[in-house]
Amino acid sequence: MSAWQKHLDENIEEILIDEQMLAKRVNELAKEISAAYQTLDIDELVVIGVLRGSVIFMSDLIRRLILPVTIDFLAISSYTKGTRTSGTVRILKDIAESITDKHVLVIEDIVDTGLTLQCLLDLLGARRPKSLKICTLLDKPTRRLVDLEADYVGFQIPDKFVVGYGLDYEGHYRQVPYIGVLKPEAYQ
Ligand code: PRP
């Protein structure tokens, strides 16, 4: 067994969502999203990934969309690294193209307090897209501080510290192919 595998065995308490469940749900979401935009007969859907947690989910999802898609990326500073209650985020890397008059789908890995989502909606909504929807892989509704929901949700999960499939702890575990619960000893 490799040192990395041993590390995972020792630090991951439980596999919450395995690879099969992820693939199945991503497929379902892609069908749902494709159907919704197909009825609008759009000529472009701008899919915006919020760096960095969304990249793995986004790359799996867009390959299953039966739509004309372009992609862009946004990096924001998280309020959690400053004060939790301020609820404001700063753009670290802006999207490359204008979204004015375009259909936009923002991809998140997780909606927790909802503060990031609120800021994203404000920031991107001010640029007058034709439509603005949010798709998140994970949703922790019990942690919500603002009354906001994503339009498309992969899984609702309990308030546990999860890593993998894009989600990190101090930058690590993003490449783990499943969503796992990190043991409290690993981050306390
Ligand atoms: C995570 C996640 C969301 C945000 C959700 O980002 O990707 O953007 O937190 O939390 P909220 O609903 O409480 O606002 P993080 O700052 O961990 O950055 P990362 O995507 O680079 O991991």
Side-chain angles (χ1 to χ4, degrees):
M1 187 192 285
S2 72
W4 174 242
Q5 190 56 53
K6 191 163 174 282
H7 174 88
L8 289 181
D9 285 352
E10 284 169 3
N11 289 276
I12 304 286
E13 188 171 80
E14 159 199 10
I15 296 178
L16 194 64
I17 309 170
D18 67 20
E19 287 178 73
Q20 252 192 326
M21 290 162 75
L22 284 166
K24 182 168 175 280
R25 188 69 188 120
V26 170
N27 235 333
E28 288 169 359
L29 282 172
K31 277 193 185 144
E32 196 185 332
I33 292 165
S34 297
Y37 288 97
Q38 275 163 7
T39 60
L40 298 176
D41 197 24
I42 61 164
D43 54 15
E44 181 184 6
L45 176 66
V46 183
V47 179
I48 299 179
V50 183
L51 296 171
R52 287 171 267 182
S54 69
V55 292
I56 296 184
F57 171 46
M58 175 167 161
S59 73
D60 280 347
L61 182 77
I62 56 174
R63 281 178 288 173
R64 287 165 181 79
L65 293 178
I66 308 159
L67 295 166
V69 161
T70 61
I71 64 171
D72 213 330
F73 294 95
L74 184 71
I76 50 181
S77 72
S78 172
Y79 59 87
T80 51
K81 284 159 199 135
T83 78
R84 170 156 284 276
T85 47
S86 76
T88 52
V89 296
R90 209 160 39 86
I91 296 182
L92 297 178
K93 183 219 166 291
D94 206 342
I95 46 175
E97 310 284 342
S98 164
I99 53 166
T100 304
D101 263 343
K102 293 187 175 172
H103 292 284
V104 174
L105 179 66
V106 176
I107 308 294
E108 267 287 21
D109 53 346
I110 188 162
V111 178
D112 192 347
T113 63
L115 292 170
T116 303
L117 180 54
Q118 186 174 45
C119 292
L120 283 172
L121 289 172
D122 287 350
L123 268 170
L124 297 175
R127 299 178 186 186
R128 303 263 168 266
K130 197 173 276 175
S131 70
L132 178 58
K133 304 270 183 196
I134 309 279
C135 173
T136 184
L137 177 69
L138 304 177
D139 184 18
K140 271 187 189 173
T142 55
R143 298 252 311 159
R144 205 70 96 251
L145 292 177
V146 290
D147 187 20
L148 271 181
E149 300 303 329
D151 300 278
Y152 301 97
V153 176
F155 301 89
Q156 287 198 338
I157 61 164
D159 187 15
K160 293 182 173 180
F161 198 117
V162 289
V163 293
Y165 201 67
L167 289 99
D168 73 309
Y169 169 60
E170 293 192 338
H172 292 278
Y173 304 104
R174 293 196 200 271
Q175 90 279 23
V176 171
Y178 52 80
I179 301 284
V181 177
L182 201 60
K183 283 185 185 165
E185 306 92 91
Y187 58 86
Q188 275 167 0

mmCIF file of all heavy atoms in Angstrom, residues 37-81:
data_model
loop_
_atom_site.group_PDB
_atom_site.id
_atom_site.type_symbol
_atom_site.label_atom_id
_atom_site.label_comp_id
_atom_site.label_asym_id
_atom_site.label_seq_id
_atom_site.Cartn_x
_atom_site.Cartn_y
_atom_site.Cartn_z
ATOM 1 N N TYR A 37 -32.350 24.146 -20.707
ATOM 2 C CA TYR A 37 -31.867 25.149 -21.664
ATOM 3 C C TYR A 37 -32.274 24.822 -23.101
ATOM 4 O O TYR A 37 -32.378 25.720 -23.929
ATOM 5 C CB TYR A 37 -30.348 25.332 -21.536
ATOM 6 C CG TYR A 37 -29.949 26.069 -20.273
ATOM 7 C CD1 TYR A 37 -29.555 25.375 -19.140
ATOM 8 C CD2 TYR A 37 -30.003 27.457 -20.212
ATOM 9 C CE1 TYR A 37 -29.201 26.046 -17.970
ATOM 10 C CE2 TYR A 37 -29.664 28.141 -19.056
ATOM 11 C CZ TYR A 37 -29.258 27.423 -17.936
ATOM 12 O OH TYR A 37 -28.914 28.090 -16.791
ATOM 13 N N GLN A 38 -32.487 23.539 -23.372
ATOM 14 C CA GLN A 38 -32.935 23.171 -24.730
ATOM 15 C C GLN A 38 -34.289 23.803 -25.033
ATOM 16 O O GLN A 38 -34.538 24.245 -26.150
ATOM 17 C CB GLN A 38 -33.022 21.642 -24.870
ATOM 18 C CG GLN A 38 -31.683 21.007 -25.226
ATOM 19 C CD GLN A 38 -31.654 19.501 -24.958
ATOM 20 O OE1 GLN A 38 -32.670 18.893 -24.618
ATOM 21 N NE2 GLN A 38 -30.486 18.911 -25.113
ATOM 22 N N THR A 39 -35.141 23.894 -24.009
ATOM 23 C CA THR A 39 -36.464 24.490 -24.241
ATOM 24 C C THR A 39 -36.333 25.985 -24.559
ATOM 25 O O THR A 39 -37.212 26.560 -25.186
ATOM 26 C CB THR A 39 -37.397 24.328 -23.022
ATOM 27 O OG1 THR A 39 -36.781 24.986 -21.912
ATOM 28 C CG2 THR A 39 -37.639 22.868 -22.677
ATOM 29 N N LEU A 40 -35.229 26.597 -24.112
ATOM 30 C CA LEU A 40 -35.019 28.029 -24.397
ATOM 31 C C LEU A 40 -34.358 28.249 -25.762
ATOM 32 O O LEU A 40 -34.226 29.367 -26.225
ATOM 33 C CB LEU A 40 -34.131 28.665 -23.312
ATOM 34 C CG LEU A 40 -34.666 28.659 -21.878
ATOM 35 C CD1 LEU A 40 -33.619 29.246 -20.933
ATOM 36 C CD2 LEU A 40 -35.956 29.461 -21.785
ATOM 37 N N ASP A 41 -33.892 27.149 -26.359
ATOM 38 C CA ASP A 41 -33.253 27.199 -27.676
ATOM 39 C C ASP A 41 -32.103 28.220 -27.705
ATOM 40 O O ASP A 41 -32.048 29.097 -28.571
ATOM 41 C CB ASP A 41 -34.306 27.537 -28.756
ATOM 42 C CG ASP A 41 -33.790 27.194 -30.153
ATOM 43 O OD1 ASP A 41 -32.896 26.326 -30.250
ATOM 44 O OD2 ASP A 41 -34.264 27.818 -31.119
ATOM 45 N N ILE A 42 -31.205 28.125 -26.767
ATOM 46 C CA ILE A 42 -30.119 29.101 -26.639
ATOM 47 C C ILE A 42 -28.970 28.789 -27.598
ATOM 48 O O ILE A 42 -28.770 27.635 -27.977
ATOM 49 C CB ILE A 42 -29.567 29.149 -25.196
ATOM 50 C CG1 ILE A 42 -29.003 27.783 -24.782
ATOM 51 C CG2 ILE A 42 -30.638 29.597 -24.221
ATOM 52 C CD1 ILE A 42 -28.140 27.853 -23.575
ATOM 53 N N ASP A 43 -28.207 29.836 -27.962
ATOM 54 C CA ASP A 43 -27.056 29.561 -28.823
ATOM 55 C C ASP A 43 -25.749 29.512 -28.036
ATOM 56 O O ASP A 43 -24.707 29.174 -28.571
ATOM 57 C CB ASP A 43 -26.962 30.564 -29.993
ATOM 58 C CG ASP A 43 -26.967 32.010 -29.505
ATOM 59 O OD1 ASP A 43 -26.755 32.220 -28.287
ATOM 60 O OD2 ASP A 43 -27.178 32.913 -30.329
ATOM 61 N N GLU A 44 -25.797 29.830 -26.734
ATOM 62 C CA GLU A 44 -24.598 29.718 -25.903
ATOM 63 C C GLU A 44 -24.977 29.680 -24.428
ATOM 64 O O GLU A 44 -25.772 30.504 -23.966
ATOM 65 C CB GLU A 44 -23.657 30.916 -26.139
ATOM 66 C CG GLU A 44 -22.365 30.841 -25.323
ATOM 67 C CD GLU A 44 -21.474 32.072 -25.491
ATOM 68 O OE1 GLU A 44 -21.900 33.049 -26.155
ATOM 69 O OE2 GLU A 44 -20.360 32.059 -24.938
ATOM 70 N N LEU A 45 -24.391 28.732 -23.716
ATOM 71 C CA LEU A 45 -24.486 28.730 -22.256
ATOM 72 C C LEU A 45 -23.073 28.952 -21.722
ATOM 73 O O LEU A 45 -22.162 28.163 -22.003
ATOM 74 C CB LEU A 45 -25.037 27.398 -21.730
ATOM 75 C CG LEU A 45 -25.071 27.280 -20.201
ATOM 76 C CD1 LEU A 45 -26.062 28.279 -19.586
ATOM 77 C CD2 LEU A 45 -25.436 25.862 -19.758
ATOM 78 N N VAL A 46 -22.900 30.049 -20.978
ATOM 79 C CA VAL A 46 -21.587 30.329 -20.393
ATOM 80 C C VAL A 46 -21.535 29.641 -19.024
ATOM 81 O O VAL A 46 -22.276 30.008 -18.105
ATOM 82 C CB VAL A 46 -21.347 31.841 -20.211
ATOM 83 C CG1 VAL A 46 -19.939 32.091 -19.672
ATOM 84 C CG2 VAL A 46 -21.565 32.593 -21.516
ATOM 85 N N VAL A 47 -20.676 28.640 -18.916
ATOM 86 C CA VAL A 47 -20.542 27.920 -17.648
ATOM 87 C C VAL A 47 -19.329 28.489 -16.917
ATOM 88 O O VAL A 47 -18.213 28.457 -17.444
ATOM 89 C CB VAL A 47 -20.381 26.403 -17.895
ATOM 90 C CG1 VAL A 47 -20.213 25.663 -16.574
ATOM 91 C CG2 VAL A 47 -21.595 25.850 -18.649
ATOM 92 N N ILE A 48 -19.570 29.045 -15.740
ATOM 93 C CA ILE A 48 -18.492 29.693 -14.979
ATOM 94 C C ILE A 48 -18.153 28.854 -13.745
ATOM 95 O O ILE A 48 -18.990 28.645 -12.869
ATOM 96 C CB ILE A 48 -18.899 31.116 -14.532
ATOM 97 C CG1 ILE A 48 -19.194 31.989 -15.765
ATOM 98 C CG2 ILE A 48 -17.801 31.750 -13.670
ATOM 99 C CD1 ILE A 48 -19.623 33.408 -15.417
ATOM 100 N N GLY A 49 -16.916 28.402 -13.686
ATOM 101 C CA GLY A 49 -16.446 27.642 -12.535
ATOM 102 C C GLY A 49 -15.846 28.573 -11.497
ATOM 103 O O GLY A 49 -15.054 29.453 -11.830
ATOM 104 N N VAL A 50 -16.260 28.387 -10.240
ATOM 105 C CA VAL A 50 -15.684 29.173 -9.151
ATOM 106 C C VAL A 50 -14.479 28.392 -8.620
ATOM 107 O O VAL A 50 -14.621 27.292 -8.086
ATOM 108 C CB VAL A 50 -16.722 29.419 -8.029
ATOM 109 C CG1 VAL A 50 -16.127 30.298 -6.934
ATOM 110 C CG2 VAL A 50 -17.989 30.063 -8.591
ATOM 111 N N LEU A 51 -13.298 28.966 -8.857
ATOM 112 C CA LEU A 51 -12.056 28.279 -8.477
ATOM 113 C C LEU A 51 -11.907 28.234 -6.960
ATOM 114 O O LEU A 51 -12.349 29.163 -6.286
ATOM 115 C CB LEU A 51 -10.861 29.016 -9.094
ATOM 116 C CG LEU A 51 -10.831 29.013 -10.630
ATOM 117 C CD1 LEU A 51 -9.737 29.944 -11.154
ATOM 118 C CD2 LEU A 51 -10.630 27.611 -11.169
ATOM 119 N N ARG A 52 -11.310 27.154 -6.393
ATOM 120 C CA ARG A 52 -10.805 26.066 -7.186
ATOM 121 C C ARG A 52 -11.658 24.801 -7.045
ATOM 122 O O ARG A 52 -11.527 23.861 -7.810
ATOM 123 C CB ARG A 52 -9.369 25.745 -6.699
ATOM 124 C CG ARG A 52 -8.361 26.818 -7.131
ATOM 125 C CD ARG A 52 -7.022 26.618 -6.469
ATOM 126 N NE ARG A 52 -6.962 27.399 -5.242
ATOM 127 C CZ ARG A 52 -5.880 27.438 -4.466
ATOM 128 N NH1 ARG A 52 -4.825 26.724 -4.749
ATOM 129 N NH2 ARG A 52 -5.870 28.204 -3.400
ATOM 130 N N GLY A 53 -12.522 24.822 -6.036
ATOM 131 C CA GLY A 53 -13.241 23.590 -5.673
ATOM 132 C C GLY A 53 -14.129 22.996 -6.748
ATOM 133 O O GLY A 53 -14.394 21.790 -6.735
ATOM 134 N N SER A 54 -14.574 23.828 -7.699
ATOM 135 C CA SER A 54 -15.578 23.338 -8.656
ATOM 136 C C SER A 54 -15.000 22.600 -9.855
ATOM 137 O O SER A 54 -15.748 22.027 -10.640
ATOM 138 C CB SER A 54 -16.400 24.530 -9.171
ATOM 139 O OG SER A 54 -15.583 25.352 -9.980
ATOM 140 N N VAL A 55 -13.672 22.616 -10.020
ATOM 141 C CA VAL A 55 -13.122 22.203 -11.323
ATOM 142 C C VAL A 55 -13.399 20.745 -11.700
ATOM 143 O O VAL A 55 -13.645 20.441 -12.865
ATOM 144 C CB VAL A 55 -11.601 22.491 -11.452
ATOM 145 C CG1 VAL A 55 -11.330 23.979 -11.502
ATOM 146 C CG2 VAL A 55 -10.819 21.845 -10.340
ATOM 147 N N ILE A 56 -13.373 19.861 -10.731
ATOM 148 C CA ILE A 56 -13.546 18.443 -11.072
ATOM 149 C C ILE A 56 -15.015 18.163 -11.418
ATOM 150 O O ILE A 56 -15.325 17.550 -12.442
ATOM 151 C CB ILE A 56 -13.015 17.549 -9.940
ATOM 152 C CG1 ILE A 56 -11.506 17.798 -9.844
ATOM 153 C CG2 ILE A 56 -13.346 16.074 -10.197
ATOM 154 C CD1 ILE A 56 -10.755 16.989 -8.876
ATOM 155 N N PHE A 57 -15.894 18.688 -10.586
ATOM 156 C CA PHE A 57 -17.331 18.565 -10.847
ATOM 157 C C PHE A 57 -17.661 19.201 -12.204
ATOM 158 O O PHE A 57 -18.361 18.616 -13.030
ATOM 159 C CB PHE A 57 -18.095 19.237 -9.701
ATOM 160 C CG PHE A 57 -19.565 19.381 -9.907
ATOM 161 C CD1 PHE A 57 -20.334 18.322 -10.373
ATOM 162 C CD2 PHE A 57 -20.206 20.588 -9.603
ATOM 163 C CE1 PHE A 57 -21.713 18.460 -10.552
ATOM 164 C CE2 PHE A 57 -21.576 20.728 -9.770
ATOM 165 C CZ PHE A 57 -22.331 19.667 -10.254
ATOM 166 N N MET A 58 -17.147 20.392 -12.420
ATOM 167 C CA MET A 58 -17.455 21.109 -13.661
ATOM 168 C C MET A 58 -16.984 20.332 -14.881
ATOM 169 O O MET A 58 -17.707 20.215 -15.875
ATOM 170 C CB MET A 58 -16.809 22.493 -13.629
ATOM 171 C CG MET A 58 -16.964 23.275 -14.914
ATOM 172 S SD MET A 58 -16.513 25.001 -14.622
ATOM 173 C CE MET A 58 -16.226 25.568 -16.274
ATOM 174 N N SER A 59 -15.774 19.780 -14.815
ATOM 175 C CA SER A 59 -15.252 19.077 -16.002
ATOM 176 C C SER A 59 -16.070 17.821 -16.285
ATOM 177 O O SER A 59 -16.285 17.467 -17.442
ATOM 178 C CB SER A 59 -13.766 18.772 -15.855
ATOM 179 O OG SER A 59 -13.574 17.740 -14.936
ATOM 180 N N ASP A 60 -16.561 17.166 -15.260
ATOM 181 C CA ASP A 60 -17.410 15.994 -15.490
ATOM 182 C C ASP A 60 -18.778 16.415 -16.016
ATOM 183 O O ASP A 60 -19.316 15.788 -16.932
ATOM 184 C CB ASP A 60 -17.589 15.190 -14.193
ATOM 185 C CG ASP A 60 -16.389 14.296 -13.911
ATOM 186 O OD1 ASP A 60 -15.551 14.116 -14.819
ATOM 187 O OD2 ASP A 60 -16.294 13.772 -12.781
ATOM 188 N N LEU A 61 -19.327 17.479 -15.438
ATOM 189 C CA LEU A 61 -20.680 17.917 -15.808
ATOM 190 C C LEU A 61 -20.752 18.423 -17.248
ATOM 191 O O LEU A 61 -21.627 17.996 -18.015
ATOM 192 C CB LEU A 61 -21.144 19.020 -14.848
ATOM 193 C CG LEU A 61 -22.557 19.542 -15.079
ATOM 194 C CD1 LEU A 61 -23.594 18.554 -14.541
ATOM 195 C CD2 LEU A 61 -22.761 20.902 -14.419
ATOM 196 N N ILE A 62 -19.827 19.299 -17.640
ATOM 197 C CA ILE A 62 -19.952 19.928 -18.970
ATOM 198 C C ILE A 62 -19.804 18.911 -20.091
ATOM 199 O O ILE A 62 -20.385 19.088 -21.156
ATOM 200 C CB ILE A 62 -18.972 21.113 -19.189
ATOM 201 C CG1 ILE A 62 -17.528 20.701 -18.957
ATOM 202 C CG2 ILE A 62 -19.365 22.298 -18.320
ATOM 203 C CD1 ILE A 62 -16.519 21.790 -19.310
ATOM 204 N N ARG A 63 -19.066 17.825 -19.823
ATOM 205 C CA ARG A 63 -18.911 16.824 -20.883
ATOM 206 C C ARG A 63 -20.194 16.047 -21.140
ATOM 207 O O ARG A 63 -20.294 15.298 -22.095
ATOM 208 C CB ARG A 63 -17.766 15.866 -20.544
ATOM 209 C CG ARG A 63 -16.424 16.499 -20.843
ATOM 210 C CD ARG A 63 -15.286 15.605 -20.486
ATOM 211 N NE ARG A 63 -15.127 15.492 -19.052
ATOM 212 C CZ ARG A 63 -14.279 14.658 -18.465
ATOM 213 N NH1 ARG A 63 -13.545 13.857 -19.198
ATOM 214 N NH2 ARG A 63 -14.181 14.642 -17.155
ATOM 215 N N ARG A 64 -21.148 16.219 -20.256
ATOM 216 C CA ARG A 64 -22.436 15.533 -20.431
ATOM 217 C C ARG A 64 -23.556 16.473 -20.848
ATOM 218 O O ARG A 64 -24.695 16.037 -21.022
ATOM 219 C CB ARG A 64 -22.807 14.799 -19.142
ATOM 220 C CG ARG A 64 -21.945 13.573 -18.969
ATOM 221 C CD ARG A 64 -21.990 12.997 -17.575
ATOM 222 N NE ARG A 64 -21.115 11.849 -17.478
ATOM 223 C CZ ARG A 64 -19.788 11.906 -17.337
ATOM 224 N NH1 ARG A 64 -19.191 13.078 -17.258
ATOM 225 N NH2 ARG A 64 -19.062 10.824 -17.286
ATOM 226 N N LEU A 65 -23.251 17.759 -20.991
ATOM 227 C CA LEU A 65 -24.285 18.713 -21.405
ATOM 228 C C LEU A 65 -24.489 18.640 -22.917
ATOM 229 O O LEU A 65 -23.518 18.649 -23.676
ATOM 230 C CB LEU A 65 -23.900 20.144 -21.009
ATOM 231 C CG LEU A 65 -23.851 20.450 -19.510
ATOM 232 C CD1 LEU A 65 -23.401 21.888 -19.277
ATOM 233 C CD2 LEU A 65 -25.207 20.209 -18.843
ATOM 234 N N ILE A 66 -25.744 18.566 -23.325
ATOM 235 C CA ILE A 66 -26.052 18.499 -24.758
ATOM 236 C C ILE A 66 -26.509 19.898 -25.166
ATOM 237 O O ILE A 66 -27.685 20.155 -25.406
ATOM 238 C CB ILE A 66 -27.128 17.423 -25.021
ATOM 239 C CG1 ILE A 66 -26.689 16.105 -24.370
ATOM 240 C CG2 ILE A 66 -27.354 17.226 -26.515
ATOM 241 C CD1 ILE A 66 -27.811 15.147 -24.122
ATOM 242 N N LEU A 67 -25.545 20.818 -25.146
ATOM 243 C CA LEU A 67 -25.811 22.244 -25.349
ATOM 244 C C LEU A 67 -24.562 22.903 -25.917
ATOM 245 O O LEU A 67 -23.458 22.398 -25.702
ATOM 246 C CB LEU A 67 -26.088 22.933 -23.995
ATOM 247 C CG LEU A 67 -27.311 22.546 -23.180
ATOM 248 C CD1 LEU A 67 -27.169 23.104 -21.774
ATOM 249 C CD2 LEU A 67 -28.573 23.065 -23.834
ATOM 250 N N PRO A 68 -24.705 24.068 -26.581
ATOM 251 C CA PRO A 68 -23.515 24.815 -26.972
ATOM 252 C C PRO A 68 -22.956 25.549 -25.740
ATOM 253 O O PRO A 68 -23.556 26.502 -25.242
ATOM 254 C CB PRO A 68 -24.022 25.808 -28.026
ATOM 255 C CG PRO A 68 -25.495 25.907 -27.812
ATOM 256 C CD PRO A 68 -25.956 24.723 -27.038
ATOM 257 N N VAL A 69 -21.808 25.073 -25.243
ATOM 258 C CA VAL A 69 -21.251 25.580 -23.979
ATOM 259 C C VAL A 69 -19.934 26.318 -24.224
ATOM 260 O O VAL A 69 -19.120 25.887 -25.030
ATOM 261 C CB VAL A 69 -21.018 24.387 -23.017
ATOM 262 C CG1 VAL A 69 -20.035 24.739 -21.912
ATOM 263 C CG2 VAL A 69 -22.336 23.917 -22.406
ATOM 264 N N THR A 70 -19.740 27.440 -23.520
ATOM 265 C CA THR A 70 -18.402 28.022 -23.412
ATOM 266 C C THR A 70 -18.081 28.054 -21.916
ATOM 267 O O THR A 70 -19.002 28.029 -21.084
ATOM 268 C CB THR A 70 -18.320 29.461 -23.997
ATOM 269 O OG1 THR A 70 -19.218 30.299 -23.273
ATOM 270 C CG2 THR A 70 -18.670 29.489 -25.465
ATOM 271 N N ILE A 71 -16.794 28.085 -21.579
ATOM 272 C CA ILE A 71 -16.452 28.063 -20.155
ATOM 273 C C ILE A 71 -15.598 29.268 -19.765
ATOM 274 O O ILE A 71 -14.882 29.839 -20.586
ATOM 275 C CB ILE A 71 -15.745 26.747 -19.724
ATOM 276 C CG1 ILE A 71 -14.393 26.582 -20.425
ATOM 277 C CG2 ILE A 71 -16.646 25.554 -19.957
ATOM 278 C CD1 ILE A 71 -13.569 25.426 -19.862
ATOM 279 N N ASP A 72 -15.710 29.618 -18.500
ATOM 280 C CA ASP A 72 -14.921 30.709 -17.957
ATOM 281 C C ASP A 72 -14.701 30.404 -16.469
ATOM 282 O O ASP A 72 -15.335 29.488 -15.920
ATOM 283 C CB ASP A 72 -15.669 32.044 -18.139
ATOM 284 C CG ASP A 72 -14.715 33.216 -18.368
ATOM 285 O OD1 ASP A 72 -13.583 33.146 -17.849
ATOM 286 O OD2 ASP A 72 -15.119 34.192 -19.017
ATOM 287 N N PHE A 73 -13.806 31.139 -15.846
ATOM 288 C CA PHE A 73 -13.493 30.872 -14.436
ATOM 289 C C PHE A 73 -13.397 32.155 -13.640
ATOM 290 O O PHE A 73 -12.994 33.201 -14.165
ATOM 291 C CB PHE A 73 -12.170 30.096 -14.311
ATOM 292 C CG PHE A 73 -12.248 28.722 -14.883
ATOM 293 C CD1 PHE A 73 -11.844 28.472 -16.185
ATOM 294 C CD2 PHE A 73 -12.769 27.672 -14.137
ATOM 295 C CE1 PHE A 73 -11.943 27.215 -16.737
ATOM 296 C CE2 PHE A 73 -12.877 26.394 -14.675
ATOM 297 C CZ PHE A 73 -12.467 26.166 -15.980
ATOM 298 N N LEU A 74 -13.747 32.036 -12.371
ATOM 299 C CA LEU A 74 -13.740 33.165 -11.460
ATOM 300 C C LEU A 74 -13.050 32.707 -10.173
ATOM 301 O O LEU A 74 -13.324 31.607 -9.687
ATOM 302 C CB LEU A 74 -15.205 33.521 -11.162
ATOM 303 C CG LEU A 74 -15.536 34.725 -10.316
ATOM 304 C CD1 LEU A 74 -15.221 35.998 -11.096
ATOM 305 C CD2 LEU A 74 -17.025 34.731 -9.967
ATOM 306 N N ALA A 75 -12.157 33.528 -9.653
ATOM 307 C CA ALA A 75 -11.568 33.203 -8.342
ATOM 308 C C ALA A 75 -11.914 34.326 -7.384
ATOM 309 O O ALA A 75 -11.780 35.512 -7.726
ATOM 310 C CB ALA A 75 -10.053 33.058 -8.452
ATOM 311 N N ILE A 76 -12.384 33.966 -6.215
ATOM 312 C CA ILE A 76 -12.760 34.981 -5.234
ATOM 313 C C ILE A 76 -12.060 34.704 -3.909
ATOM 314 O O ILE A 76 -11.708 33.565 -3.616
ATOM 315 C CB ILE A 76 -14.294 35.001 -5.009
ATOM 316 C CG1 ILE A 76 -14.806 33.585 -4.743
ATOM 317 C CG2 ILE A 76 -15.020 35.622 -6.179
ATOM 318 C CD1 ILE A 76 -16.289 33.505 -4.535
ATOM 319 N N SER A 77 -11.870 35.754 -3.141
ATOM 320 C CA SER A 77 -11.303 35.554 -1.810
ATOM 321 C C SER A 77 -12.469 35.223 -0.906
ATOM 322 O O SER A 77 -13.522 35.847 -0.981
ATOM 323 C CB SER A 77 -10.625 36.822 -1.326
ATOM 324 O OG SER A 77 -11.600 37.780 -0.997
ATOM 325 N N SER A 78 -12.281 34.212 -0.081
ATOM 326 C CA SER A 78 -13.373 33.794 0.783
ATOM 327 C C SER A 78 -13.404 34.639 2.044
ATOM 328 O O SER A 78 -12.378 34.912 2.640
ATOM 329 C CB SER A 78 -13.190 32.325 1.142
ATOM 330 O OG SER A 78 -14.135 31.978 2.109
ATOM 331 N N TYR A 79 -14.623 35.034 2.450
ATOM 332 C CA TYR A 79 -14.789 35.781 3.696
ATOM 333 C C TYR A 79 -14.349 34.944 4.887
ATOM 334 O O TYR A 79 -14.021 35.458 5.935
ATOM 335 C CB TYR A 79 -16.268 36.177 3.883
ATOM 336 C CG TYR A 79 -17.121 34.967 3.917
ATOM 337 C CD1 TYR A 79 -17.339 34.295 5.107
ATOM 338 C CD2 TYR A 79 -17.624 34.420 2.749
ATOM 339 C CE1 TYR A 79 -18.033 33.120 5.127
ATOM 340 C CE2 TYR A 79 -18.331 33.258 2.757
ATOM 341 C CZ TYR A 79 -18.532 32.605 3.962
ATOM 342 O OH TYR A 79 -19.195 31.427 3.972
ATOM 343 N N THR A 80 -14.345 33.602 4.724
ATOM 344 C CA THR A 80 -14.013 32.738 5.867
ATOM 345 C C THR A 80 -12.559 32.910 6.293
ATOM 346 O O THR A 80 -12.189 32.571 7.400
ATOM 347 C CB THR A 80 -14.243 31.251 5.550
ATOM 348 O OG1 THR A 80 -13.576 30.957 4.330
ATOM 349 C CG2 THR A 80 -15.711 30.937 5.420
ATOM 350 N N LYS A 81 -11.758 33.440 5.359
ATOM 351 C CA LYS A 81 -10.358 33.648 5.720
ATOM 352 C C LYS A 81 -10.212 34.982 6.454
ATOM 353 O O LYS A 81 -9.198 35.251 7.061
ATOM 354 C CB LYS A 81 -9.474 33.591 4.476
ATOM 355 C CG LYS A 81 -9.286 32.156 4.023
ATOM 356 C CD LYS A 81 -8.868 32.033 2.577
ATOM 357 C CE LYS A 81 -9.164 30.627 2.083
ATOM 358 N NZ LYS A 81 -9.791 30.622 0.765
#
